[in-house]
Amino acid sequence: MATPAQVIRRAQLYVPGSSMRFLEKSRSLPSVDSVAYDLEDSVTPSKKPEGRQNILSILNRDRVPGIREQAVRINSVGSGFALDDLTEILKGKHLDCLVVPKVDSASDLHFVTDVLRQKLPERHGPGSTNPVKIVALVESARSVMDLAAICKSSPYISGLTFAAEDFALDLSLTRTPSLHEFMYARSAIVTAARAFNIPSALDLVSTTFRGEEGKTQLQDECANGKRFGFNGKQCIHPDQVATVQEVYSPSQAEAEWAVRVVICDEKADRQGRGAWTLDGKMIDVPVVGKARAIVAKAELCGVDVQALQEKYRDEEPT
């Protein structure tokens, strides 16, 4: 299983596989952590064969510097399209991740895992180091109730994603700006991700983003998700990506605090001190663990951690 330090998905952008124009446009994005070429909701049944070939052609091209991860959202295992999807897109030279929708039980990911091992044994055999990762979409009451089994169902699972619209449909919920109606499901998802050391917990799609009001709502949703414990968010338009990735990155203040804590902790450790204070607040093992995680993520997000370490090298614990 991948470790959190190896994966960063602050934003995962869906791009319809039936549109070569949109697929081409996605390759010109300046920076996006993960692009999920879509074969599911955005592609009608009659267009799915064409969508597979479009995506395959993209996956077989040279990588572009702006995209960290190339993923494909296949159709659900129960749809009747999943095996055809996998048969084609697993031929892609630069496929990094599968996004699997409507994962209601562990058996869905057992199926995907078996196909991965059969079709790509060189990437999924003993000792392999570059498997295709799996992100599972949580879309139903049954899925939420079966999260523990889902998280243990494949060694390649790398993310859990909350699909709010389908979940709301399943439970006859009405989505509100507060998102209170999703509190239980969202908490369950981030808790399961942490409990089973799954790197990514991706929050719901924001459907409003245009104009200043839309951007403000997107920022608020991202901040809400970050407080909840999510470390990324789904995007349905390229204009959302920059805002989402900014909010889900450590802020300058967070990065500086974390670097100061780590520097001081190393000094406190040499002094034999298990707890100490910084800025009048007690620092102990859990706080140090949080600081180290922020520093690691800051490095992945492009923050000049080395410069901060130099700036605060003389910091002392009190």
Side-chain angles (χ1 to χ4, degrees), residues 251-264 267 278 303-316:
S251 67
Q252 184 69 18
E254 287 175 314
E256 291 194 3
W257 171 84
V259 166
R260 291 172 65 210
V261 169
V262 172
I263 288 173
C264 289
K267 294 179 180 180
L278 181 69
V303 175
D304 192 346
V305 170
Q306 189 172 355
L308 292 178
Q309 290 170 335
E310 180 65 23
K311 179 179 178 180
Y312 293 106
R313 65 179 180 177
D314 296 327
E315 190 87 33
E316 294 288 340

mmCIF file of all heavy atoms in Angstrom, residues 251-264 267 278 303-316:
data_model
loop_
_atom_site.group_PDB
_atom_site.id
_atom_site.type_symbol
_atom_site.label_atom_id
_atom_site.label_comp_id
_atom_site.label_asym_id
_atom_site.label_seq_id
_atom_site.Cartn_x
_atom_site.Cartn_y
_atom_site.Cartn_z
ATOM 1 N N SER A 251 -0.553 26.623 4.461
ATOM 2 C CA SER A 251 -0.341 28.056 4.291
ATOM 3 C C SER A 251 1.080 28.410 4.734
ATOM 4 O O SER A 251 1.773 27.600 5.371
ATOM 5 C CB SER A 251 -1.348 28.840 5.124
ATOM 6 O OG SER A 251 -1.091 28.648 6.514
ATOM 7 N N GLN A 252 1.501 29.617 4.410
ATOM 8 C CA GLN A 252 2.834 30.055 4.837
ATOM 9 C C GLN A 252 2.953 30.006 6.350
ATOM 10 O O GLN A 252 3.968 29.555 6.898
ATOM 11 C CB GLN A 252 3.110 31.472 4.324
ATOM 12 C CG GLN A 252 4.505 31.992 4.633
ATOM 13 C CD GLN A 252 5.596 31.286 3.857
ATOM 14 O OE1 GLN A 252 5.321 30.640 2.844
ATOM 15 N NE2 GLN A 252 6.834 31.397 4.333
ATOM 16 N N ALA A 253 1.902 30.455 7.038
ATOM 17 C CA ALA A 253 1.927 30.444 8.507
ATOM 18 C C ALA A 253 1.992 29.018 9.052
ATOM 19 O O ALA A 253 2.730 28.741 10.017
ATOM 20 C CB ALA A 253 0.693 31.160 9.054
ATOM 21 N N GLU A 254 1.236 28.100 8.446
ATOM 22 C CA GLU A 254 1.270 26.705 8.886
ATOM 23 C C GLU A 254 2.648 26.096 8.679
ATOM 24 O O GLU A 254 3.170 25.381 9.544
ATOM 25 C CB GLU A 254 0.226 25.890 8.114
ATOM 26 C CG GLU A 254 -1.210 26.131 8.506
ATOM 27 C CD GLU A 254 -2.180 25.369 7.621
ATOM 28 O OE1 GLU A 254 -2.019 25.384 6.383
ATOM 29 O OE2 GLU A 254 -3.114 24.765 8.172
ATOM 30 N N ALA A 255 3.244 26.363 7.502
ATOM 31 C CA ALA A 255 4.556 25.801 7.201
ATOM 32 C C ALA A 255 5.616 26.348 8.158
ATOM 33 O O ALA A 255 6.476 25.589 8.647
ATOM 34 C CB ALA A 255 4.937 26.111 5.749
ATOM 35 N N GLU A 256 5.566 27.638 8.442
ATOM 36 C CA GLU A 256 6.548 28.228 9.355
ATOM 37 C C GLU A 256 6.399 27.645 10.756
ATOM 38 O O GLU A 256 7.390 27.305 11.417
ATOM 39 C CB GLU A 256 6.386 29.745 9.377
ATOM 40 C CG GLU A 256 6.804 30.416 8.070
ATOM 41 C CD GLU A 256 6.966 31.916 8.205
ATOM 42 O OE1 GLU A 256 6.807 32.440 9.334
ATOM 43 O OE2 GLU A 256 7.274 32.561 7.187
ATOM 44 N N TRP A 257 5.151 27.542 11.237
ATOM 45 C CA TRP A 257 4.915 26.946 12.562
ATOM 46 C C TRP A 257 5.464 25.528 12.617
ATOM 47 O O TRP A 257 6.155 25.138 13.572
ATOM 48 C CB TRP A 257 3.427 26.953 12.878
ATOM 49 C CG TRP A 257 3.081 26.167 14.112
ATOM 50 C CD1 TRP A 257 3.132 26.597 15.414
ATOM 51 C CD2 TRP A 257 2.642 24.801 14.166
ATOM 52 N NE1 TRP A 257 2.760 25.576 16.265
ATOM 53 C CE2 TRP A 257 2.447 24.476 15.529
ATOM 54 C CE3 TRP A 257 2.392 23.826 13.190
ATOM 55 C CZ2 TRP A 257 2.028 23.214 15.946
ATOM 56 C CZ3 TRP A 257 1.969 22.560 13.599
ATOM 57 C CH2 TRP A 257 1.788 22.270 14.963
ATOM 58 N N ALA A 258 5.180 24.737 11.583
ATOM 59 C CA ALA A 258 5.596 23.334 11.571
ATOM 60 C C ALA A 258 7.118 23.203 11.568
ATOM 61 O O ALA A 258 7.689 22.363 12.286
ATOM 62 C CB ALA A 258 4.996 22.629 10.364
ATOM 63 N N VAL A 259 7.788 24.013 10.774
ATOM 64 C CA VAL A 259 9.248 23.965 10.726
ATOM 65 C C VAL A 259 9.837 24.346 12.083
ATOM 66 O O VAL A 259 10.777 23.704 12.581
ATOM 67 C CB VAL A 259 9.778 24.901 9.617
ATOM 68 C CG1 VAL A 259 11.286 25.133 9.778
ATOM 69 C CG2 VAL A 259 9.486 24.305 8.247
ATOM 70 N N ARG A 260 9.278 25.373 12.715
ATOM 71 C CA ARG A 260 9.767 25.785 14.036
ATOM 72 C C ARG A 260 9.596 24.655 15.057
ATOM 73 O O ARG A 260 10.498 24.391 15.870
ATOM 74 C CB ARG A 260 9.013 27.023 14.501
ATOM 75 C CG ARG A 260 9.323 28.279 13.700
ATOM 76 C CD ARG A 260 8.391 29.418 14.106
ATOM 77 N NE ARG A 260 8.621 29.821 15.488
ATOM 78 C CZ ARG A 260 7.689 30.325 16.288
ATOM 79 N NH1 ARG A 260 6.434 30.469 15.842
ATOM 80 N NH2 ARG A 260 7.981 30.677 17.521
ATOM 81 N N VAL A 261 8.445 23.983 14.997
ATOM 82 C CA VAL A 261 8.197 22.878 15.937
ATOM 83 C C VAL A 261 9.209 21.761 15.732
ATOM 84 O O VAL A 261 9.776 21.228 16.695
ATOM 85 C CB VAL A 261 6.757 22.350 15.778
ATOM 86 C CG1 VAL A 261 6.588 21.030 16.546
ATOM 87 C CG2 VAL A 261 5.742 23.377 16.276
ATOM 88 N N VAL A 262 9.446 21.394 14.490
ATOM 89 C CA VAL A 262 10.372 20.294 14.210
ATOM 90 C C VAL A 262 11.786 20.642 14.658
ATOM 91 O O VAL A 262 12.490 19.823 15.262
ATOM 92 C CB VAL A 262 10.340 19.936 12.706
ATOM 93 C CG1 VAL A 262 11.450 18.939 12.372
ATOM 94 C CG2 VAL A 262 8.985 19.349 12.330
ATOM 95 N N ILE A 263 12.226 21.861 14.381
ATOM 96 C CA ILE A 263 13.561 22.290 14.801
ATOM 97 C C ILE A 263 13.685 22.255 16.326
ATOM 98 O O ILE A 263 14.662 21.719 16.880
ATOM 99 C CB ILE A 263 13.864 23.702 14.262
ATOM 100 C CG1 ILE A 263 14.099 23.654 12.749
ATOM 101 C CG2 ILE A 263 15.085 24.309 14.972
ATOM 102 C CD1 ILE A 263 14.230 25.023 12.100
ATOM 103 N N CYS A 264 12.698 22.809 16.992
ATOM 104 C CA CYS A 264 12.740 22.838 18.452
ATOM 105 C C CYS A 264 12.642 21.445 19.057
ATOM 106 O O CYS A 264 13.270 21.155 20.095
ATOM 107 C CB CYS A 264 11.613 23.722 18.996
ATOM 108 S SG CYS A 264 11.861 25.485 18.689
ATOM 109 N N LYS A 267 15.964 19.737 19.160
ATOM 110 C CA LYS A 267 16.794 20.272 20.243
ATOM 111 C C LYS A 267 16.295 19.788 21.599
ATOM 112 O O LYS A 267 17.090 19.434 22.481
ATOM 113 C CB LYS A 267 16.802 21.796 20.181
ATOM 114 C CG LYS A 267 17.488 22.342 18.934
ATOM 115 C CD LYS A 267 17.446 23.867 18.887
ATOM 116 C CE LYS A 267 18.138 24.381 17.628
ATOM 117 N NZ LYS A 267 18.118 25.865 17.543
ATOM 118 N N LEU A 278 6.220 26.389 22.985
ATOM 119 C CA LEU A 278 6.565 27.291 21.884
ATOM 120 C C LEU A 278 5.456 28.328 21.800
ATOM 121 O O LEU A 278 4.271 27.970 21.726
ATOM 122 C CB LEU A 278 6.681 26.520 20.566
ATOM 123 C CG LEU A 278 7.073 27.353 19.339
ATOM 124 C CD1 LEU A 278 8.509 27.837 19.455
ATOM 125 C CD2 LEU A 278 6.896 26.526 18.056
ATOM 126 N N VAL A 303 6.678 24.240 -1.321
ATOM 127 C CA VAL A 303 7.136 25.240 -0.360
ATOM 128 C C VAL A 303 8.644 25.073 -0.151
ATOM 129 O O VAL A 303 9.151 23.950 -0.056
ATOM 130 C CB VAL A 303 6.391 25.093 0.982
ATOM 131 C CG1 VAL A 303 6.944 26.060 2.022
ATOM 132 C CG2 VAL A 303 4.896 25.314 0.780
ATOM 133 N N ASP A 304 9.374 26.175 -0.064
ATOM 134 C CA ASP A 304 10.820 26.132 0.147
ATOM 135 C C ASP A 304 11.097 25.874 1.626
ATOM 136 O O ASP A 304 11.381 26.787 2.403
ATOM 137 C CB ASP A 304 11.469 27.438 -0.308
ATOM 138 C CG ASP A 304 12.987 27.345 -0.374
ATOM 139 O OD1 ASP A 304 13.547 26.375 0.184
ATOM 140 O OD2 ASP A 304 13.612 28.246 -0.961
ATOM 141 N N VAL A 305 10.984 24.606 1.998
ATOM 142 C CA VAL A 305 11.165 24.222 3.399
ATOM 143 C C VAL A 305 12.598 24.471 3.852
ATOM 144 O O VAL A 305 12.845 24.871 4.997
ATOM 145 C CB VAL A 305 10.768 22.740 3.592
ATOM 146 C CG1 VAL A 305 11.171 22.242 4.982
ATOM 147 C CG2 VAL A 305 9.265 22.566 3.399
ATOM 148 N N GLN A 306 13.545 24.259 2.968
ATOM 149 C CA GLN A 306 14.946 24.466 3.329
ATOM 150 C C GLN A 306 15.195 25.922 3.741
ATOM 151 O O GLN A 306 15.922 26.190 4.699
ATOM 152 C CB GLN A 306 15.851 24.083 2.158
ATOM 153 C CG GLN A 306 17.330 24.068 2.519
ATOM 154 C CD GLN A 306 18.183 23.499 1.402
ATOM 155 O OE1 GLN A 306 17.680 23.021 0.393
ATOM 156 N NE2 GLN A 306 19.493 23.547 1.584
ATOM 157 N N ALA A 307 14.582 26.856 3.024
ATOM 158 C CA ALA A 307 14.736 28.270 3.376
ATOM 159 C C ALA A 307 14.122 28.559 4.752
ATOM 160 O O ALA A 307 14.685 29.339 5.539
ATOM 161 C CB ALA A 307 14.082 29.145 2.318
ATOM 162 N N LEU A 308 12.991 27.931 5.045
ATOM 163 C CA LEU A 308 12.369 28.118 6.358
ATOM 164 C C LEU A 308 13.240 27.513 7.462
ATOM 165 O O LEU A 308 13.354 28.080 8.561
ATOM 166 C CB LEU A 308 10.978 27.491 6.378
ATOM 167 C CG LEU A 308 9.913 28.160 5.497
ATOM 168 C CD1 LEU A 308 8.604 27.395 5.588
ATOM 169 C CD2 LEU A 308 9.702 29.607 5.915
ATOM 170 N N GLN A 309 13.846 26.370 7.187
ATOM 171 C CA GLN A 309 14.725 25.751 8.177
ATOM 172 C C GLN A 309 15.923 26.647 8.477
ATOM 173 O O GLN A 309 16.364 26.751 9.626
ATOM 174 C CB GLN A 309 15.183 24.385 7.669
ATOM 175 C CG GLN A 309 14.071 23.350 7.645
ATOM 176 C CD GLN A 309 14.466 22.078 6.907
ATOM 177 O OE1 GLN A 309 15.346 22.093 6.039
ATOM 178 N NE2 GLN A 309 13.826 20.977 7.254
ATOM 179 N N GLU A 310 16.426 27.287 7.454
ATOM 180 C CA GLU A 310 17.545 28.206 7.642
ATOM 181 C C GLU A 310 17.097 29.437 8.433
ATOM 182 O O GLU A 310 17.816 29.918 9.328
ATOM 183 C CB GLU A 310 18.102 28.624 6.282
ATOM 184 C CG GLU A 310 19.276 29.588 6.339
ATOM 185 C CD GLU A 310 20.509 28.983 6.989
ATOM 186 O OE1 GLU A 310 20.639 27.739 7.001
ATOM 187 O OE2 GLU A 310 21.338 29.762 7.510
ATOM 188 N N LYS A 311 15.901 29.927 8.120
ATOM 189 C CA LYS A 311 15.373 31.114 8.791
ATOM 190 C C LYS A 311 15.213 30.884 10.297
ATOM 191 O O LYS A 311 15.478 31.788 11.109
ATOM 192 C CB LYS A 311 14.038 31.501 8.159
ATOM 193 C CG LYS A 311 13.367 32.718 8.801
ATOM 194 C CD LYS A 311 12.045 33.038 8.085
ATOM 195 C CE LYS A 311 11.337 34.226 8.739
ATOM 196 N NZ LYS A 311 10.054 34.545 8.048
ATOM 197 N N TYR A 312 14.781 29.669 10.681
ATOM 198 C CA TYR A 312 14.456 29.403 12.069
ATOM 199 C C TYR A 312 15.454 28.453 12.748
ATOM 200 O O TYR A 312 15.140 27.849 13.783
ATOM 201 C CB TYR A 312 13.041 28.816 12.174
ATOM 202 C CG TYR A 312 11.958 29.802 11.798
ATOM 203 C CD1 TYR A 312 11.281 29.707 10.586
ATOM 204 C CD2 TYR A 312 11.641 30.855 12.662
ATOM 205 C CE1 TYR A 312 10.299 30.627 10.245
ATOM 206 C CE2 TYR A 312 10.646 31.776 12.320
ATOM 207 C CZ TYR A 312 9.992 31.649 11.112
ATOM 208 O OH TYR A 312 9.013 32.572 10.775
ATOM 209 N N ARG A 313 16.649 28.355 12.206
ATOM 210 C CA ARG A 313 17.618 27.398 12.739
ATOM 211 C C ARG A 313 18.012 27.698 14.183
ATOM 212 O O ARG A 313 18.414 26.784 14.934
ATOM 213 C CB ARG A 313 18.862 27.373 11.854
ATOM 214 C CG ARG A 313 19.651 28.671 11.828
ATOM 215 C CD ARG A 313 20.868 28.562 10.954
ATOM 216 N NE ARG A 313 21.627 29.812 10.928
ATOM 217 C CZ ARG A 313 22.778 29.955 10.283
ATOM 218 N NH1 ARG A 313 23.270 28.946 9.576
ATOM 219 N NH2 ARG A 313 23.410 31.113 10.317
ATOM 220 N N ASP A 314 17.893 28.949 14.600
ATOM 221 C CA ASP A 314 18.276 29.310 15.974
ATOM 222 C C ASP A 314 17.105 29.269 16.953
ATOM 223 O O ASP A 314 17.260 29.638 18.126
ATOM 224 C CB ASP A 314 18.893 30.714 15.982
ATOM 225 C CG ASP A 314 20.190 30.785 15.185
ATOM 226 O OD1 ASP A 314 20.924 29.771 15.170
ATOM 227 O OD2 ASP A 314 20.468 31.835 14.564
ATOM 228 N N GLU A 315 15.951 28.816 16.485
ATOM 229 C CA GLU A 315 14.767 28.711 17.364
ATOM 230 C C GLU A 315 15.064 27.734 18.500
ATOM 231 O O GLU A 315 15.669 26.678 18.294
ATOM 232 C CB GLU A 315 13.564 28.223 16.559
ATOM 233 C CG GLU A 315 12.252 28.310 17.300
ATOM 234 C CD GLU A 315 11.596 29.674 17.152
ATOM 235 O OE1 GLU A 315 11.741 30.317 16.109
ATOM 236 O OE2 GLU A 315 10.910 30.087 18.117
ATOM 237 N N GLU A 316 14.627 28.079 19.706
ATOM 238 C CA GLU A 316 14.876 27.230 20.886
ATOM 239 C C GLU A 316 13.563 26.894 21.592
ATOM 240 O O GLU A 316 12.685 27.756 21.717
ATOM 241 C CB GLU A 316 15.809 27.939 21.872
ATOM 242 C CG GLU A 316 17.217 28.161 21.378
ATOM 243 C CD GLU A 316 18.048 26.879 21.303
ATOM 244 O OE1 GLU A 316 17.656 25.896 21.998
ATOM 245 O OE2 GLU A 316 19.044 26.868 20.563
#
